[in-house]
């Protein structure tokens, strides 16, 4: 990772340490004591993290300046590496894409948290962590609110990782979401077709369980040795009655599958697939009841108020936008300590733009990643495109 020098050039000394101001800001100290978080002091150990570059992170070498593009009707030149992969001049320049940001890698060992590798630490203040612990002790859903990009959804993954509760079951809510779909789905038409074909060919009728699948909420309620983590993401985007429809499930910790209840006398136990691949559970007399109430994290962007009956059953957690100290710690956790050399100018621009309108933390991460990879964010309109407001007309 390289850094900008004071005169706009590049400093290739990778082993130099942070300046005192940056080093103190990243560690949460300014020489006089810990940096405050909200109304309470932050202990020195609050953001004690390993700043060594993660094994899954690969940094692009800083390329040189891009060559002048050739005429569209000429041959493709053998240009040196440039951050401008696409130039819009019609000239074909086949080249491999650079590595994606760590948080945008999918389906492989390079993704944070894959293959047993620990994901980047989730940075949360002790007073906010205490609210999470209260929800865990009370076995109540945790309702997490805050601006986009404050880490609401990531909190569920952090809890699952630290407590060893396995993969997070995610229910992304939209305007068409129903509790029924989140509990289970039944393919009645498919069963009728397969049953008719089996009778015509003299084969045994297929089992009803093969035409069902539990949804994320239904899978979370399957009894097991340890509770599972369920993320109900952006509940405020759902129908106005959706929170009230969840009350019975939250209170009883069980639900009924009527299609199986009607067969309980002749087939009391049915094997039904869950949301997870290659996992099935036995449903007895059409009812699924949890042994331990799942760890439920409900997120909301504040687009709608929830009814009092729903709020009474939840533990509330409001996540504030991260301050400068925490933003530095987040960048170091995701991109390594060297990335802090690239972010002073970007951090100040981010804070200035965040004051009048909404900006998300991952927008700052995107900007720092591009700057560290050699992208000239001073190009016309590029910084505006990366650090754009999240509210208002587009």
């Amino acid at each position: 990772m390289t850094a900008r020098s004071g005169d706009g050039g590049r400093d290739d000394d990778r082993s130099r340490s942070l300046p005192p101001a940056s080093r103190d800001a990243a560690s949460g100290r300014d020489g006089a004591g810990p940096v405050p978080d909200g109304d309470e002091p932050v202990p020195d150990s609050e953001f004690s993290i390993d700043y060594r570059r993660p094994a899954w992170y690969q940094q692009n070498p800083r390329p040189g300046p891009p060559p002048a593009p050739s005429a569209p009707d000429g041959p493709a030149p053998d240009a040196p590496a440039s951050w401008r992969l696409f130039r819009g001049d019609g000239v074909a320049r086949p080249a491999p894409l650079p590595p994606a940001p760590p948080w945008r890698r999918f389906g492989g060992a390079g993704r944070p948290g894959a293959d047993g590798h620990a994901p980047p630490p989730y940075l949360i203040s002790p007073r906010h962590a205490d609210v999470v612990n209260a929800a865990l002790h009370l076995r109540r859903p945790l309702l997490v609110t805050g601006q986009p990009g404050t880490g609401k959804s990531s909190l569920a993954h952090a809890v699952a990782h630290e407590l060893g509760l396995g993969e997070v079951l995610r229910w992304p809510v939209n305007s068409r979401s129903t509790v029924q779909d989140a509990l289970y789905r039944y393919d009645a038409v498919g069963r009728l077709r397969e049953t008719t074909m089996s009778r015509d060919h003299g084969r045994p009728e297929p089992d009803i369980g093969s035409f069902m699948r539990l949804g994320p909420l239904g899978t979370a309620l399957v009894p097991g040795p340890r509770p599972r983590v369920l993320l109900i993401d952006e509940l405020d985007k759902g129908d106005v009655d959706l929170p009230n429809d969840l009350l019975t499930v939250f209170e009883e910790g069980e639900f009924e599958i009527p299609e199986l209840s009607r067969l309980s006398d002749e087939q009391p136990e049915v094997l039904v697939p869950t949301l997870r691949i290659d996992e099935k559970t036995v449903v007895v007399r059409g009812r699924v009841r949890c042994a331990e109430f799942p760890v439920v994290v409900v997120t909301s962007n504040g687009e709608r108020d929830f009814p009092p009956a729903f709020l009474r059953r939840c533990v509330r957690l409001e996540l504030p936008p991260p301050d400068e100290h925490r933003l530095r710690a987040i960048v170091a956790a995701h991109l390594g300590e060297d990335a802090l050399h690239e972010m002073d100018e970007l951090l100040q621009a981010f804070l200035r733009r965040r004051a009048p309108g909404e900006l998300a933390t991952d927008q700052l991460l995107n900007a720092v990643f591009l700057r560290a990879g050699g992208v000239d964010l001073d190009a016309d309109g590029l910084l505006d495109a990366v650090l754009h407001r999240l509210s208002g007309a587009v």
Side-chain angles (χ1 to χ4, degrees):
M1 182 95 45
T2 58
R4 287 181 178 268
S5 62
D7 59 357
R10 305 293 185 185
D11 184 357
D12 292 329
D13 184 2
R14 299 173 179 265
S15 63
R16 69 186 182 89
S17 60
L18 284 172
S22 298
R23 182 167 61 250
D24 290 341
S27 62
R29 295 185 295 272
D30 59 3
V35 177
D37 180 8
D39 298 328
E40 298 181 11
V42 179
D44 289 344
S45 61
E46 178 181 356
F47 300 117
S48 177
I49 59 177
D50 185 0
Y51 285 138
R52 293 174 297 177
R53 187 186 308 281
W56 41 261
Y57 179 76
Q58 296 179 353
Q59 177 59 47
N60 298 335
R62 184 175 302 281
S70 60
D73 54 352
D78 295 330
S82 169
W83 68 268
R84 287 188 171 93
L85 304 174
F86 171 76
R87 301 183 189 178
D89 56 8
V91 178
R93 302 179 182 88
L97 291 176
W103 53 91
R104 293 297 298 168
R105 299 174 187 173
F106 303 94
R111 183 170 177 83
D115 296 342
H117 295 292
Y122 185 85
L123 305 179
I124 186 171
S125 67
R127 61 193 179 102
H128 293 142
D130 288 344
V131 178
V132 178
N133 287 309
L136 294 174
H137 282 280
L138 295 172
R139 305 298 199 273
R140 288 289 186 181
L142 179 68
L143 177 58
V144 187
T145 57
Q147 295 180 4
T150 52
K152 299 186 296 294
S153 301
S154 300
L155 178 57
H157 296 272
V159 172
H161 170 70
E162 288 195 18
L163 301 185
L165 299 179
E167 179 187 359
V168 174
L169 302 168
R170 182 171 178 261
W171 177 20
V173 176
N174 56 51
S175 59
R176 299 177 300 276
S177 298
T178 65
V179 173
Q180 170 70 39
D181 290 339
L183 291 173
Y184 75 97
R185 292 192 177 187
Y186 173 49
D187 185 5
V189 175
R191 184 191 178 204
L192 178 61
R193 182 179 63 249
E194 293 296 326
T195 299
T196 301
M197 293 178 61
S198 298
R199 289 174 180 173
D200 293 343
H201 293 82
R203 298 193 302 262
E205 295 183 8
D207 186 77
I208 186 176
S210 59
F211 299 96
M212 290 186 172
R213 179 173 292 275
L214 299 183
L217 179 56
T219 302
L221 294 174
V222 170
R226 302 201 71 192
R228 303 188 182 192
V229 178
L230 171 65
L231 171 61
I232 304 179
D233 211 8
E234 299 187 336
L235 182 61
D236 52 330
K237 293 188 181 297
D239 184 80
V240 65
D241 292 327
L242 186 58
N244 283 328
D245 295 340
L246 287 167
L247 296 182
T248 301
V249 179
F250 283 172
E251 282 299 301
E252 304 297 333
E254 67 176 3
F255 67 97
E256 180 184 18
I257 303 178
E259 294 85 356
L260 300 184
S261 299
R262 291 192 290 265
L263 302 176
S264 59
D265 291 336
E266 54 185 278
Q267 193 176 357
E269 296 184 353
V270 179
L271 197 62
V272 178
T274 70
L275 187 67
R276 291 177 169 173
I277 300 176
D278 299 330
E279 180 185 76
K280 296 184 178 181
T281 186
V282 176
V283 178
V284 180
R285 296 191 175 275
R287 301 197 72 84
V288 177
R289 182 179 181 85
C290 66
E292 284 277 352
F293 189 76
V295 178
V296 180
V297 177
V298 184
T299 70
S300 170
N301 290 325
E303 296 182 5
R304 175 182 298 164
D305 293 332
F306 296 123
F310 176 81
L311 296 177
R312 181 173 63 85
R313 290 164 171 83
C314 298
V315 176
R316 296 283 303 274
L317 173 61
E318 173 76 21
L319 290 180
D323 57 13
E324 181 175 347
H325 161 61
R326 188 167 301 177
L327 287 171
R328 290 182 180 276
I330 291 173
V331 170
H334 283 272
L335 297 176
E337 185 182 6
D338 288 345
L340 296 175
H341 301 315
E342 307 285 346
M343 73 171 296
D344 286 339
E345 174 189 347
L346 294 175
L347 177 59
Q348 297 306 317
F350 177 84
L351 293 174
R352 286 195 306 270
R353 291 165 182 256
R354 191 178 70 174
E358 294 180 358
L359 287 180
T361 304
D362 58 351
Q363 292 176 283
L364 176 62
L365 288 172
N366 292 337
V368 176
F369 179 82
L370 291 175
R371 172 66 61 79
V375 176
D376 181 15
L377 288 176
D378 296 328
D380 290 344
L382 185 53
L383 189 61
D384 291 335
V386 176
L387 299 182
H388 60 87
R389 290 179 57 186
L390 303 181
S391 60
V394 178

